[in-house]
Amino acid sequence: MTMTDYAGAIAFLGQWGRFQQVVFFLLCASIVPNGFGAFTLVFLADIPNHHCVVPDVNLTDDWLKSIIPVKVVNGEQELSRCSRYRLDVVRNLSAQGLIPGRDVNLTDLEQEGCVDGWSYSRDIYQSTIVSEFDLVCSEQWKQPLTSTVFFLGVLFGSFFSGQLSDRFGRKPVLFATMAVQTVFTFIQVFSVSWIMFTILLFINGLGQMSNFVAALVLGAEILTSNVRVLYSSMGTCLGFVVGYMMLPLFAYFLRDWKSLLLALSVPGLAYLPLWWFIPESPRWLLSQGRVEEAEAIVRKASKWNKVQAPRVIFKDYSTESKEHHSIFDLVRKSSIRSTTLILCLVSFTLTTGYYSLSFNTSQLHADPYISCFISAAVEIPAYISSWLALRYLPRRLSVICTLLLGAVSLFLIQLVPQHLSIISVALEMLGKYAITTGTSLMFAYTSELYPTVLRNTATGTCTTVSRVGSCITPFLLKLSVYFKYLPYITLGTLAVVAAFATLYLPESFGRPLPETIQQMHQREGYFLEFGTFNCHHVFC
């Protein structure tokens, strides 16, 4: 047999036996910590209200209340965060019995920085890394940089883990990246400086998205037909959103940053026993010529499913070659190169939109815990929609529609009058729903377009490019300083461009996964030759 007949060779197992159920639910469970990790910095790096510390000196009550200058920010008065009136001057005026505001004009007093440190509000948090390492005032640039460093770790992890997974197997990389997350989340608790915390956070980021990609590809290769579609769309993403929705719950009860990190690292230990239950991908083993190991896994699955396996499962097996493949195979042939570039563009657009809207919608409510929960909850209908679309609709049509829906929603926000802010919020949430749906679709779509020997490399590469989008998110949101709606217009324009580019992608709906580069090349060539017909057909 050739690898094209893989699905037929294991058809005797059925689609939803005990083996598939175990693989499905355990792999989904392995993704839950990603929901924790992706947005933990929303709470860890939040900036509490703060002002300069006033040492215990002999000051009258009036001067104690007045030593911190009052500034007007966004039309509201608040205490200065980074300055106070000079302590020696205030102490002298207080000793003379002068009353601020009556005997002394406060605007004439000289100010100084917070030379004795800061006092942080504990109304919302007991502590964050901002209050721990004083990432405020002249050091405030370190706070957004912390998030950027984390996403850079995710970017590098996505790039290298895909190639490692295609070289050494899905299972070892899955568990190695899960271990990286667990171990380095735990070690971060003992950080004694911002630099140490940030270095550990970067290493943590290396495993953050990598195990998601490894689990996605492993499940997509083991499961077949409708179960594979359910897993690739709704299963993996619901595993992520469960962790995302649990995050504000953990953070609400554990308002100290060290306690929160400790609580989020401990569940990782529960995943150690999964090594004995989650198998390696038989497809990957066959692509490496390890036929006996692949057959052993399928025979074990037949016992779990209580069905009889044929005497020889993979008859007359042949593989494309035993050579190793690399990222260069994604751009070596023109047709595959076109697909790779388009997928990278679409993934970049969707990830940029997802993180921009996620961090923006975190401001929907005054309570950050409720804001985070709302932002997570809107993803549930999005993932259900993506599953239904993958089940019943062509891939290109689904992706194009979600991109255009997201673009229209974001463009319309600037037309809403200011006094109807609830409509703006609704449009923004609709935009996030569409972008999240598209993101889920692309994970499944990408894994279906590439052959087994390149699947993880391709998925990891597209994820890497998309992570550049998450890295620039803080800068994109800053565009609102120049024009309030510029971030929405930028995201909407990107979505329209990506939608038109998607017209040139091959369709994978209802087709078997390609096993070799030659099969993918033939499919690409077919769609390039008949591209005009298929672009029309997709809207019929």
Side-chain angles (χ1 to χ4, degrees):
M1 61 164 276
T2 64
M3 290 190 65
T4 313
D5 307 316
Y6 173 82
I10 65 165
F12 68 91
L13 288 177
Q15 286 188 34
W16 192 237
R18 184 185 170 200
F19 172 74
Q20 288 93 341
Q21 291 167 10
V22 168
V23 169
F24 186 101
F25 289 112
L26 291 186
L27 284 177
C28 288
S30 75
I31 292 170
V32 171
N34 291 84
F36 296 156
F39 298 102
T40 307
L41 287 172
V42 168
F43 300 106
L44 293 183
D46 203 3
I47 305 175
N49 286 329
H50 55 276
H51 57 78
C52 296
V53 165
V54 180
D56 188 15
V57 293
N58 292 324
L59 295 178
T60 63
D61 289 341
D62 287 333
W63 279 108
L64 279 173
K65 293 176 183 176
S66 304
I67 192 171
I68 306 297
V70 175
K71 294 185 175 181
V72 178
V73 179
N74 296 326
E76 296 184 4
Q77 289 188 337
E78 66 176 43
L79 295 178
S80 173
R81 295 186 167 197
C82 299
S83 63
R84 70 185 185 193
Y85 296 118
R86 277 188 55 177
L87 187 59
D88 56 341
V89 174
V90 169
R91 187 191 295 120
N92 187 28
L93 294 171
S94 177
Q96 295 178 39
L98 300 177
I99 297 176
R102 190 190 73 179
D103 303 322
V104 179
N105 187 353
L106 293 175
T107 57
D108 295 335
L109 292 183
E110 186 179 349
Q111 298 183 15
E112 64 183 357
C114 299
V115 293
D116 296 304
W118 291 263
S119 175
Y120 296 93
S121 168
R122 295 195 172 189
D123 293 342
I124 299 176
Y125 308 105
Q126 284 297 308
S127 70
T128 67
I129 62 167
V130 172
S131 61
E132 182 79 16
F133 305 122
D134 290 329
L135 309 183
V136 292
C137 300
S138 62
E139 299 289 295
Q140 188 170 350
W141 59 272
K142 293 180 179 178
Q143 189 263 349
L145 183 61
T146 305
S147 301
T148 302
V149 169
F150 172 72
F151 284 121
L152 284 173
V154 175
L155 187 153
F156 281 103
S158 301
F159 179 74
F160 290 109
S161 68
Q163 296 178 71
L164 290 172
S165 186
D166 281 336
R167 178 69 64 89
F168 300 108
R170 299 4 181 169
K171 182 177 174 179
V173 171
L174 171 64
F175 281 88
T177 51
M178 286 168 63
V180 166
Q181 286 184 69
T182 301
V183 171
F184 284 92
T185 299
F186 177 75
I187 296 176
Q188 279 179 274
V189 174
F190 304 98
S191 299
V192 294
S193 68
W194 174 77
I195 292 177
M196 178 180 175
F197 178 89
T198 308
I199 292 172
L200 293 172
L201 185 66
F202 175 83
I203 300 173
N204 190 347
L206 292 174
Q208 169 57 33
M209 202 63 195
S210 304
N211 84 286
F212 183 101
V213 173
L216 174 73
V217 174
L218 178 56
E221 291 181 348
I222 292 177
L223 304 169
T224 57
S225 192
N226 292 331
V227 178
R228 187 186 78 222
V229 172
L230 177 66
Y231 171 80
S232 298
S233 55
M234 196 161 67
T236 53
C237 293
L238 283 181
F240 178 88
V241 83
V242 165
Y244 189 1
M245 293 174 71
M246 289 171 65
L247 173 62
L249 186 66
F250 275 90
Y252 180 81
F253 289 105
L254 302 168
R255 303 198 178 198
D256 169 75
W257 71 274
K258 291 185 177 181
S259 301
L260 179 59
L261 277 179
L262 189 61
L264 296 181
S265 66
V266 169
L269 298 175
Y271 293 102
L272 288 175
L274 300 192
W275 178 268
W276 288 275
F277 294 95
I278 296 177
E280 180 57 272
S281 163
R283 285 183 187 264
W284 179 81
L285 290 170
L286 289 173
S287 73
Q288 303 299 303
R290 294 157 65 175
V291 183
E292 292 182 3
E293 293 175 60
E295 284 208 358
I297 291 172
V298 176
R299 291 191 187 281
K300 183 179 179 181
S302 69
K303 291 180 182 178
W304 283 23
N305 288 1
K306 298 181 180 178
V307 295
Q308 184 66 42
R311 190 173 61 85
V312 179
I313 299 175
F314 303 114
K315 299 176 182 176
D316 304 323
Y317 170 79
S318 65
T319 186
E320 183 179 6
S321 70
K322 299 298 189 300
E323 66 177 305
H324 293 299
H325 297 278
S326 70
I327 189 174
F328 298 108
D329 291 295
L330 300 178
V331 294
R332 188 164 284 135
K333 295 183 179 179
S334 60
S335 56
I336 297 178
R337 180 167 61 248
S338 300
T339 295
T340 301
L341 292 175
I342 294 172
L343 287 173
C344 285
L345 170 64
V346 177
S347 297
F348 171 84
T349 300
L350 289 167
T351 300
T352 304
Y354 175 77
Y355 280 99
S356 296
L357 295 176
S358 292
F359 284 114
N360 211 38
T361 50
S362 67
Q363 306 303 318
L364 288 174
H365 194 280
D367 188 320
Y369 306 104
I370 293 177
S371 298
C372 185
F373 186 83
I374 292 173
S375 186
V378 76
E379 297 189 11
I380 293 179
Y383 295 139
I384 294 174
S385 300
S386 72
W387 168 62
L388 292 172
L390 287 168
R391 181 81 186 271
Y392 300 110
L393 296 174
R395 306 296 189 243
R396 277 184 306 195
L397 174 63
S398 303
V399 173
I400 290 169
C401 287
T402 55
L403 284 166
L404 293 179
L405 175 60
V408 170
S409 303
L410 297 176
F411 283 140
L412 288 177
I413 290 176
Q414 61 187 309
L415 304 179
V416 178
Q418 274 197 319
H419 66 280
L420 296 176
S421 58
I422 191 165
I423 297 179
S424 296
V425 172
L427 285 171
E428 190 166 337
M429 297 307 287
L430 179 61
K432 187 183 179 187
Y433 159 82
I435 295 295
T436 304
T437 303
T439 303
S440 176
L441 288 170
M442 285 306 297
F443 277 120
Y445 195 7
T446 303
S447 67
E448 289 176 352
L449 288 178
Y450 288 92
T452 303
V453 292
L454 279 177
R455 189 166 293 122
N456 240 52
T457 297
T459 308
T461 300
C462 291
T463 304
T464 300
V465 174
S466 73
R467 291 299 136 188
V468 176
S470 61
C471 291
I472 68 170
T473 291
F475 304 101
L476 179 63
L477 294 177
K478 289 288 185 184
L479 292 177
S480 60
V481 173
Y482 305 103
F483 177 53
K484 182 179 179 181
Y485 302 106
L486 193 53
Y488 299 119
I489 295 171
T490 304
L491 291 172
T493 304
L494 271 173
V496 171
V497 172
F500 279 103
T502 304
L503 285 169
Y504 295 94
L505 287 176
E507 183 55 73
S508 61
F509 181 54
R511 293 176 172 81
L513 293 179
E515 302 294 353
T516 66
I517 292 179
Q518 183 60 32
Q519 288 172 18
M520 180 183 179
H521 185 56
Q522 289 171 351
R523 177 190 284 184
E524 303 274 359
Y526 175 84
F527 280 97
L528 286 174
E529 184 179 350
F530 296 98
T532 306
F533 165 77
N534 279 301
C535 288
H536 168 74
H537 177 70
V538 110
F539 292 102
C540 291

